[in-house]
Structures are given as structure tokens and as C-alpha cells.
Amino acid sequence: MNADDSSRQPPEPSEPPEPSELFTIGQLSLRTGMPVRTIRYWSDTGALPPAGRSGGGYRLYDAASVARLELVRTLRELGLGLDDVRRVLERETTVADVAVDHIKALDAQIKGLRLRRAVLAAVAAGRRPPTEEMTLLNKLARLTAEERRRIIDDFLDEVFGGLDLDPRLRDRMTDIRVELPDDPTAAQVDAWVELAELVADPEFRRRLRSVAQSGAAGRAEEGPGREPGAYLFFARKVVGMVGEARAAGIAPDAPEAAGVLDRLLGPADRVRRAEVLDRIEDAGNARMERYRQLVAAVNGEPVRPSHAEEFAWLAAALRAHS
């Protein structure tokens, strides 16, 4: 009779075994419900060493082996590898310490699965061609948070680096947080990919750099005593005064619009007004607005009001009354 053949072993009593009672692999299988093959494999790897050998050389197990086998099964069901199981059984580590390591590993796997799901959902939405664009989407979405931040930092350094900007404007423009969450939506993944493509576009960088340079030049012309935040103050002034003009039904080419320009910019100065118009047209570029929208979308935040309509009115008025 083959001692490892569980089908030929007689049923075992339900009472706990005596301390001196020994079992073959087949008997241990019947007692615990574990397959003979699994018990033999765990025994071969050292996770379940036999208590002794029979006269014929068959492995034998005792009551302690039954308890050890149950522990091995539990640890394996929790996802521990056999190396970790052996370390726990040999008291080289504790179950708690191994559990902490596995929690970290599971968290990383869950994060990866969530991101993979979001990428697939973005692909399934069909907003992008399913070939090269899908590869790009997958690549950019899988970047680490530090790598994503580096892309934005490089963009900001090229656009604003070395310029004497209004301190408050500089802080507002360069302190940009772009954080794709651990559990992003398909829309956030799609927004991040579009944002990465936009900030990598040399033409977009050139246009934004031109706006920043104009602002720095204007600040230099007005002298070092200019108060910080003057640009933002002017923007609020435009929103307020143009908003009132629009509410009153004044069209940009109406005679009354000239008075609004005088109150905003002082006496007519063709050169200065031409410069203001250039800055508004550059800053009001549709891609600039899209940049703001994408940053907000990735961060899961509402888009701050752009007041694009007020500045569009001002640009039209400057053209009409130049």
C-alpha cells in the first residue's frame, strides 16, 4: 500500500490525537481536508517538516504538524509567500510585521489597478484614436507624482525663469499644483494627458513666455517703486469697470466705451494702449484658458472665473478706439 495515497487510508476518529500519534500524508490530508499534493509540496519546501519517518521511509506527522498545517494554510490564504511563511514559523519575524509589509504591497497593487482602470475607461470613452494616442495616454498616466511634477516645473522654469515679475503674479503663476489622485477618474487621466501635451508644445511655451516678458518689461518701465500686486489690481479694475459697462449695454465700439478706456488707462496713449491690447490678446489665447481648465480638472477643483468676456470687451474697445 502506498502510504501517501489518501484514498486507501481508513477514516480517522474525530477526537484529538494522542501526543504520540503519527500520521502519514494521506491521513493528515483526511484529517485537515488539504490535498495530499499540497501537503507534500509544503513539506518539500520546508514549511511543514515531518515529525519523523516510517520504517519504509514514508514521512510521518504529529499533532503539532496538524496545527502547523492549519497555520500555513491560513497564511497562504492571506497571500503570504512560502518564504514569509517559513520566516513566521521559524520565528524570524512576526505575523504582524509580515502583515504590515503585505498591506503596503497590496496598497501599491490597488493603486496601480485603479490607475489602469482609469486609463482603460479613458480609452473606452473613445475621445482619442486607439493606437499611438492610447500608448501615450498609458505612458503619461503611469508616471510617478514626482515625474508629473517635474514636467510642470520644467515648463514653468522655461516660461517664467529669469524674469522680474510682479511678486504676487509670479507666485500665482508658478505655484501651480498638479496632482493626479491615486484613484483618478477617466476624465482626470484624460485631462492630465492633454495637459502634458500642451505644456510640452514649444509654440504654447513661446506665447506664454512672450506674455511674461511683456509683463516684466512693463514693470521695469514703471520703476522699482511699483506696488506688488499692481497687475492683479488692474485685472480687478478691468473686471469691475467693464462689467458695469456691459451691464449698462455699452458696446465696445460705442462712443461711451472711449470714456471707459480713459478711466481705465488714463489719457489716450496709442503706444501704451497698443501694448495693452497685445498683452490681452496673448493672455486671452484660447489655449491659455484651456491650460487653466486642465489644471483644475486634474486636481478635481472647480475652474476659477476667467473673466474672459470682460477682457474680450476691453480688447474690442481698444481696437475700435485706437
Side-chain angles (χ1 to χ4, degrees):
M1 178 179 68
N2 186 344
D4 287 344
D5 189 350
S6 61
S7 64
R8 301 184 183 180
Q9 300 302 320
E12 296 295 326
S14 58
E15 294 82 2
E18 295 295 329
S20 61
E21 189 175 4
L22 296 175
F23 309 97
T24 64
I25 285 183
Q27 291 169 327
L28 189 59
S29 173
L30 288 174
R31 181 170 292 275
T32 62
M34 294 293 296
V36 169
R37 180 183 300 177
T38 301
I39 297 174
R40 183 180 293 114
Y41 174 69
W42 288 353
S43 186
D44 290 341
T45 60
L48 186 68
R53 294 275 178 172
S54 69
Y58 294 111
R59 285 172 281 203
L60 298 175
Y61 302 88
D62 56 13
S65 301
V66 177
R68 187 180 179 103
L69 179 58
E70 292 291 348
L71 178 57
V72 172
R73 173 162 57 183
T74 299
L75 294 176
R76 292 289 287 155
E77 288 175 349
L78 289 173
L80 272 66
L82 283 175
D83 287 340
D84 285 332
V85 170
R86 281 196 299 270
R87 290 171 57 217
V88 170
L89 294 174
E90 298 303 325
R91 299 187 179 181
E92 296 176 5
T93 187
T94 65
V95 176
D97 289 340
V98 173
V100 169
D101 291 339
H102 275 258
I103 287 173
K104 293 178 181 178
L106 287 172
D107 284 344
Q109 292 177 22
I110 291 170
K111 179 180 177 180
L113 288 172
R114 286 173 172 168
L115 184 55
R116 188 179 305 173
R117 183 187 185 282
V119 170
L120 288 172
V123 172
R127 291 189 291 269
R128 293 171 173 270
T131 51
E132 294 181 4
E133 288 294 327
M134 184 175 68
T135 301
L136 176 65
L137 186 149
N138 188 44
K139 176 183 176 181
L140 292 176
R142 287 175 177 272
L143 294 177
T144 66
E146 181 180 351
E147 289 169 331
R148 288 193 291 268
R149 181 67 195 184
R150 192 178 303 124
I151 288 175
I152 301 300
D153 286 345
D154 290 345
F155 161 70
L156 295 175
D157 287 344
E158 180 175 329
V159 171
F160 300 108
L163 297 180
D164 180 23
L165 299 174
D166 182 301
R168 294 185 185 177
L169 177 62
R170 181 191 61 233
D171 292 344
R172 183 173 181 179
M173 294 298 294
T174 60
D175 187 22
I176 295 175
R177 177 181 60 85
V178 181
E179 297 179 2
L180 191 66
D182 291 343
D183 188 12
T185 64
Q188 284 175 307
V189 169
D190 212 37
W192 158 246
V193 173
E194 185 179 344
L195 176 63
E197 292 175 301
L198 179 60
V199 300
D201 181 8
E203 174 58 24
F204 179 66
R205 292 189 176 204
R206 184 204 62 76
R207 179 179 285 273
L208 191 52
R209 177 74 176 182
S210 176
V211 173
Q213 287 173 329
S214 296
R219 177 174 167 79
E221 291 172 3
E222 295 181 15
R226 188 181 189 190
E227 288 294 324
Y231 174 86
L232 298 178
F233 173 77
F234 175 72
R236 287 193 290 268
K237 188 177 178 182
V238 169
V239 171
M241 295 184 67
V242 172
E244 291 176 359
R246 293 179 68 233
I250 298 176
D253 57 354
E256 295 87 348
V260 177
L261 295 179
D262 289 342
R263 292 194 297 274
L264 269 174
L265 303 173
D269 182 335
R270 290 182 179 274
V271 174
R272 182 168 185 268
R273 292 192 178 192
E275 291 175 349
V276 171
L277 177 58
D278 287 342
R279 293 180 193 178
I280 292 174
E281 289 179 334
D282 277 340
N285 180 269
R287 300 183 79 197
M288 293 283 293
E289 179 62 20
R290 185 57 179 161
Y291 170 76
R292 296 173 64 255
Q293 293 172 350
L294 291 171
V295 170
V298 173
N299 291 333
E301 300 172 347
V303 181
R304 286 186 293 185
S306 67
H307 303 296
E309 293 182 352
E310 286 82 359
F311 280 92
W313 186 99
L314 177 58
L318 285 169
R319 292 190 203 97
H321 302 281
S322 60

